[in-house]
Amino acid sequence: MNEVDHFGFNNPKTFKQRYLISDKHWQRDGGSILFYTGNEGDIIWFCNNTGFMWDVAEELKAMLVFAEHRYYGESLPFGPDSFKDSRHLNFLTSEQALADFAELITHLKRTIPGAGDQPVIAIGGSYGGMLAAWFRMKYPHVVVGALAASAPIWQFEDLVPCNVFMKIVSTDFKKSGPNCSESIRRSWDAINRLSNTGSGLQWLTQALHLCSPLTSDDIQHFKEWISETWVNLAMVDYPYESNFLQPLPAWPIKVVCQYLKNPTVSDSLLLENIFQALNIYYNYSGQAKCLNISETATSRLGILGWSYQACTEMVMPFCANGVDDMFEPFLWNLKQFSDECFNQWGVRPRPSWITTLYGGKNISSHSNIIFSNGDLDPWSGGGVTKDISHTLVAITIPEGAHHLDLRANNAYDPASVLLARSLEVRHMKQWIRGFHDNARRQH
């Protein structure tokens, strides 16, 4: 049970927070607790996609805890009413989530015999990685260190340029096949030309096997759906078959780019090739009858909750210029974004609050955080990719996509990720040893 509101005393309501625990390899003597800071989705799904923790549990004599983030999975503060309106959503913040984690760790240490004198290490990926880093910053007495994998803690305000994300996506495609990014860059105008006529819209619907007929009002959304598909492919460009956002082949961008070798063909041929490419992402398993432009990722991610978080605290500016990247140019428009948020949720974003809360680039007073990033991952543009001090360290994985290092060991893993994992374990062992040495000295 956790408080719905940790920061006020007027609302005594509590809710059930789900967590998973495994003590198979835990040994009290010199042991540890690895604590996964849950992010925007069902905790069982994250647990199944974080093989790294299971792989290192024995070596670190670790108990594993996976904590579900409030408002996701089954950890709903107001049950089915949790997303009803902004009054019910008011407690969906990163600060409340961190307080949940601190309370949960305190509870486990109090109730599990022998857990009281064990060091806890926070581990997370993506938004969960941001939470792991922020948890160490805000609760250094609760966790001895953090592994923040693919954590874009600087993807806020103007800490990094807003086009860096789309630039990395485009580089992935550029490197994965001749003319690949150029074909995608040319597809936007081809879509615009084809969608000018009723017959063109009808043709697009058929050529791309869409589940519902395209209208001229859908075109902007249709292009955003295609863009998001390329972004997701960049995130999950793993060296082996995987099923993180969708079932996919190994190095999926290379497979996609096989269909996009010739950018100078006619509009209709180009779009037929784009369909073949999209089909790798949406229909690798061969089960899909048609493509649904309102779906891009797995249903196990909490799209609703994340949309609210993006509209309040997690305000990440994105833009593209069509020159350094392969996308149709768009600007970051805070006012428009704010109005969309107000229409959907009745709230307006506070774009500079995260920087005030967690320090932006001024974090050198903290310690014991590993920031790992893969060069293929578009989120690395907002990540910490250079050491800040000897205890705030950056690990770079050249062939890594989105938190590849947190995934289970695989025969096809590139050497760079094996090295990254061994460095991560080395740091964690130091933290664990330091904690136990301190405890012995105090006795």
Side-chain angles (χ1 to χ4, degrees), residues 42 138 181 323 327 430:
D42 187 292
K138 293 293 184 190
S181 59
V323 179
F327 295 92
Q430 277 174 337

Side-chain angles (χ1 to χ4, degrees), residues 284-296:
Y284 182 58
S285 62
Q287 302 298 301
K289 302 273 179 283
C290 59
L291 304 190
N292 180 352
I293 69 169
S294 51
E295 259 170 43
T296 54

Side-chain angles (χ1 to χ4, degrees), residues 62-108:
M63 177 193 302
L64 305 183
V65 181
F66 292 84
E68 191 161 66
H69 191 300
R70 55 169 56 205
Y71 287 86
Y72 294 102
E74 292 177 11
S75 301
L76 304 175
F78 302 99
D81 289 342
S82 297
F83 297 97
K84 206 165 111 183
D85 51 36
S86 59
R87 206 167 52 91
H88 288 83
L89 278 160
N90 193 40
F91 308 101
L92 173 48
T93 63
S94 62
E95 305 92 294
Q96 297 277 13
L98 294 180
D100 287 340
F101 298 154
E103 288 278 30
L104 174 56
I105 289 170
T106 308
H107 164 76
L108 295 174

Side-chain angles (χ1 to χ4, degrees), residues 387-425:
D387 289 3
I388 293 170
S389 69
H390 68 286
T391 67
L392 294 178
V393 296
I395 293 179
T396 312
I397 306 161
E399 300 94 344
H402 203 41
H403 50 67
L404 175 64
D405 50 332
L406 290 191
R407 298 179 63 81
N409 252 322
N410 186 292
Y412 295 99
D413 275 333
S416 58
V417 76
L418 302 179
L419 177 64
R421 290 187 189 124
S422 65
L423 287 171
E424 290 161 1
V425 169

Side-chain angles (χ1 to χ4, degrees), residues 198-257:
S199 61
L201 286 166
Q202 216 175 340
W203 183 88
L204 275 170
T205 303
Q206 281 164 349
L208 280 100
H209 298 67
L210 303 180
C211 297
S212 44
L214 273 184
T215 66
S216 48
D217 296 342
D218 296 330
I219 289 301
Q220 192 48 39
H221 171 67
F222 172 62
K223 288 187 290 192
E224 283 166 10
W225 169 74
I226 294 176
S227 294
E228 201 180 320
T229 308
W230 308 140
V231 165
N232 285 356
L233 276 162
M235 280 169 54
V236 296
D237 197 19
Y238 294 133
Y240 45 77
E241 283 200 0
S242 69
N243 183 2
F244 186 51
L245 300 176
Q246 292 273 15
L248 287 172
W251 296 119
I253 297 184
K254 280 198 177 94
V255 180
V256 157
C257 286

Side-chain angles (χ1 to χ4, degrees), residues 157 162 310-319 330-342 347-353:
E157 294 191 282
C162 58
C311 275
T312 47
E313 292 191 310
M314 307 300 291
V315 189
M316 301 184 178
F318 296 105
C319 63
F330 65 96
L331 295 168
W332 168 245
N333 183 336
L334 180 61
K335 191 194 174 311
Q336 184 191 340
F337 180 69
S338 178
D339 291 343
E340 286 167 9
C341 288
F342 191 75
V347 295
R348 289 195 182 276
R350 293 182 194 162
S352 54
W353 171 232

Side-chain angles (χ1 to χ4, degrees), residues 11 56 81 101 116 118 127 193 198 215 253 312 386 393 433:
N11 181 350
V56 301
D81 289 342
F101 298 154
Q118 298 283 292
Y127 167 51
R193 286 188 290 266
T215 66
I253 297 184
T312 47
K386 291 192 170 68
V393 296
R433 220 180 10 253

